[in-house]
Amino acid sequence: MADKFETKLGRKLVLMSQDSGREIGSKAFRIVGMFTAEMEATEKQFAFVTLRAAQQMLKLENRISELSIIIPNRHEVERVAEDLRDALPPSTYEVHTWRELLPLVNAYLSLFDIFIFIWFLVVFIAMGFGIVNTTLMAVFERIREFGLLKALGMKPWWIVRGVLTESFLLLVMGTAVGNILSFLSVFALSGSGIDLSSFAAGAEFAGISRVIYPAIHPKDVVMANLVVFILGLLVSVYPAAKAARFTPVEALAHT
Amino acid sequence: MGIVECVNIKKTYHQGKVEVKALRGVNLSIDEGEFVAVAGPSGSGKTTMLNIMGGLDAPDSGSVVVDEHNFDKMTRSELASLRLHRVGFVFQAYNLIPVLSALENVEFVMLLQGLPQAERRARAKSILDDVGLEGMYDRRPAELSGGQQQRVAVARAIVSNPAIVLADEPTANLDSKTGHGLLDIMEQMNEKKKVTFIFSTHDQMVMDHARRLILLRDGLVVDDRMKEV
């Protein structure tokens, strides 16, 4: 904004706006500080003055036009807004959540949730194929062994159980290593964050910060591990059943 | 009723578009305690017959009864259970589990049967002693000769006191002296433990040892005779 108006610290700037009497209200202010925002649009959009000066310029006396509240937990926004609507007279006060005031950002976030869902779906499908592939390879490599075990009297269900147990152990080791690596990487990046300065324009467009600070939510960890385990065991049923279905003669003839 | 009763067994394999009639209606009755060789040239159906008697393969038609269990009425799981408790196998290629020692290979069947470790160990050692493998309990298959591996396989087959032992060309990979020794051991087990042995073979030495010889040709029994002892 300073560039646009070709001004700098210490100089005066005249602000004009419609006052409470629908007249043009204006006042000269001396620039005492400048701020840097993540988005250039924010810098162009806002000039901060004292509440008293704004009330004088807009002829508001002691009144205010808007009060913004930041709630520590974003999931509480709707509930707090509802409580405020109930507590305040509707003829005097309007209560709006940020989602109502910023429909574009709201729509963008909904879209982003869908993208995330699709991304998870693709990742988990790929993981499922990976597990099936690994387990099938392990089964086919040991077809003769399974044939021998069946010939010696191992029941088909025991073979299914054995293959599923192997998959379970694979999943335990995989998730343990995955969790440790993710905890370490989040821990390493949580201090300095992930700097997206090189993608600043894109980040601005998406409305996200230039620096992302990764964080771990226990619920996400539990959900991800649970999905991996259940999906992993489910897709392992196919190779397990395959191993159990070979007749001993077919399996022993396998080279 | 014999320990093995096969009635009109037929089996056809499909190799691509070619049909191979392995068995064309085989009738067999084998009594408990017999030492039988099923002989015949390659492709005569002896291995198929043995596989069917052991429940490893199913016939297209006909009925098989082993130790009073009719295979027609049995599920895969019940067949596996019958093999575990009443049928022992000796394969041409030994088929020992390579990562287990001789003792563990013999113990394995009893492990599947759920026997306690102390009993498993004692019985496995005793049977390995019987087949002449004292002191080789901890050797893995790769550390044993072909003859020794086949002795472990015999020990594994008879350790759980099965009703029958099916041996598919057990001497095919052994030299004549080793093969002779192995047959002597199986003969002793047959006499000592009254286990029924059924061999598939085209080895004259096995035929000489057998007390009953069944000849198969083109999937049919062409000769079945008891031999003079």
Side-chain angles (χ1 to χ4, degrees):
Chain A
M1 192 186 280
D3 290 341
K4 189 180 172 187
F5 291 108
E6 293 175 354
T7 185
K8 59 183 180 181
L9 275 176
R11 289 206 178 164
K12 277 192 172 180
L13 193 68
V14 176
L15 299 185
M16 296 172 73
S17 180
Q18 190 180 51
D19 65 20
S20 58
R22 297 182 188 276
E23 300 293 327
I24 299 290
S26 64
K27 192 171 171 64
F29 294 90
R30 190 171 300 284
I31 300 167
V32 293
M34 292 190 193
F35 69 93
T36 308
E38 294 297 337
M39 295 173 71
E40 205 177 315
T42 309
E43 292 174 11
K44 286 180 179 171
Q45 202 172 354
F46 295 102
F48 295 95
V49 298
T50 62
L51 175 62
R52 187 74 205 130
Q55 284 171 330
Q56 280 175 0
M57 178 184 131
L58 300 171
K59 299 186 175 66
L60 286 168
E61 296 170 1
N62 289 327
R63 290 172 292 162
I64 54 173
S65 60
E66 187 178 314
L67 182 67
S68 297
I69 304 170
I70 295 173
I71 295 163
N73 184 351
R74 66 190 167 92
H75 300 294
E76 295 279 296
V77 168
E78 292 296 336
R79 191 187 59 76
V80 172
E82 206 54 49
D83 288 350
L84 286 172
R85 279 189 196 108
D86 292 342
L88 298 170
S91 55
T92 320
Y93 296 97
E94 285 180 10
V95 180
H96 297 290
T97 64
W98 65 270
R99 283 185 184 276
E100 289 161 351
L101 295 172
L102 301 167
L104 197 65
V105 174
N106 190 33
Y108 169 75
L109 288 175
S110 302
L111 197 66
F112 192 72
D113 284 345
I114 294 170
F115 282 143
I116 289 284
F117 175 76
I118 292 171
W119 188 76
F120 270 112
L121 201 68
V122 169
V123 166
F124 283 121
I125 287 173
M127 185 204 79
F129 275 110
I131 292 173
V132 168
N133 192 37
T134 308
T135 319
L136 265 183
M137 288 285 284
V139 163
F140 277 113
E141 273 179 4
R142 292 156 53 206
I143 280 294
R144 275 184 68 84
E145 185 188 320
F146 289 128
L148 173 66
L149 297 179
K150 287 180 93 170
L152 293 179
M154 189 175 265
K155 292 178 183 178
W157 162 239
W158 295 355
I159 290 175
V160 170
R161 203 173 56 184
V163 174
L164 287 180
T165 305
E166 281 181 28
S167 295
F168 177 79
L169 292 175
L170 256 177
L171 286 165
V172 168
M173 286 188 281
T175 46
V177 172
N179 282 322
I180 290 168
L181 287 178
S182 58
F183 287 143
L184 287 177
S185 54
V186 168
F187 178 73
L189 292 167
S190 59
S192 56
I194 303 168
D195 192 354
L196 296 178
S197 300
S198 49
F199 310 106
E204 273 183 17
F205 179 76
I208 58 175
S209 165
R210 291 180 194 202
V211 179
I212 292 176
Y213 296 92
I216 290 174
H217 297 286
K219 189 181 143 200
D220 291 345
V221 176
V222 171
M223 278 302 291
N225 280 297
L226 213 60
V227 169
V228 166
F229 257 93
I230 292 170
L231 189 69
L233 285 177
L234 276 179
V235 297
S236 298
V237 170
Y238 172 66
K242 192 119 183 140
R245 284 188 69 81
F246 279 109
T247 68
V249 169
E250 283 170 340
L252 285 168
H254 199 269
T255 50
Chain B
M1 192 179 188
I3 194 103
V4 178
E5 294 285 342
C6 298
V7 180
N8 199 22
I9 302 295
K10 291 180 182 172
K11 179 76 181 177
T12 302
Y13 289 112
H14 299 271
Q15 294 173 337
K17 288 180 181 175
V18 181
E19 274 194 354
V20 180
K21 292 191 186 238
L23 298 172
R24 297 164 185 257
V26 171
N27 295 294
L28 269 182
S29 178
I30 295 168
D31 289 330
E32 194 171 357
E34 281 200 82
F35 202 72
V36 188
V38 179
S42 274
S44 59
K46 13 181 230 305
T47 297
T48 304
M49 196 60 228
L50 234 66
N51 287 340
I52 287 173
M53 281 193 269
L56 298 183
D57 206 354
D60 296 334
S61 64
S63 83
V64 184
V65 178
V66 171
D67 196 30
E68 298 179 354
H69 293 85
N70 190 336
F71 287 7
D72 289 348
K73 295 169 185 166
M74 295 172 77
T75 62
R76 282 182 174 204
S77 188
E78 287 167 339
L79 274 172
S81 186
L82 179 75
R83 283 197 298 271
L84 180 60
H85 293 96
R86 304 300 290 152
V87 184
F89 287 96
V90 179
F91 301 95
Q92 181 181 338
Y94 324 134
N95 282 345
L96 300 176
I97 299 170
V99 293
L100 301 183
S101 67
L103 190 73
E104 289 164 341
N105 263 288
V106 178
E107 267 191 65
F108 187 73
V109 174
M110 293 181 284
L111 179 75
L112 293 181
Q113 289 175 336
L115 295 183
Q117 194 190 21
E119 186 184 344
R120 288 199 316 256
R121 195 130 288 196
R123 279 171 65 176
K125 281 183 177 174
S126 165
I127 208 83
L128 281 171
D129 292 348
D130 286 349
V131 298
L133 291 175
E134 311 91 318
M136 297 191 187
Y137 307 142
D138 296 327
R139 291 206 192 169
R140 296 212 171 160
E143 298 165 333
L144 296 168
S145 68
Q148 288 167 335
Q149 286 188 57
Q150 200 61 305
R151 285 195 224 179
V152 176
V154 170
R156 180 179 66 185
I158 58 178
V159 72
S160 56
N161 297 322
I164 57 170
V165 170
L166 300 167
D168 184 15
E169 313 246 14
T171 56
N173 291 341
L174 305 177
D175 60 69
S176 60
K177 191 180 166 195
T178 312
H180 204 283
L182 187 81
L183 284 166
D184 283 343
I185 287 167
M186 289 198 268
E187 215 165 359
Q188 282 168 25
M189 294 296 145
N190 169 253
E191 284 164 10
K192 193 171 149 188
K193 296 180 181 285
K194 302 295 172 207
V195 180
T196 309
F197 276 83
I198 305 167
F199 301 91
S200 81
T201 188
H202 54 248
D203 182 345
Q204 189 58 47
M205 188 169 57
V206 179
M207 292 184 234
D208 291 344
H209 271 78
R211 289 194 289 276
R212 180 180 169 192
L213 187 62
I214 298 166
L215 277 177
L216 280 181
R217 183 163 295 140
D218 298 329
L220 284 170
V221 175
V222 291
D223 193 12
D224 184 350
R225 60 175 187 269
M226 301 299 285
K227 288 166 64 188
E228 298 283 330
V229 180

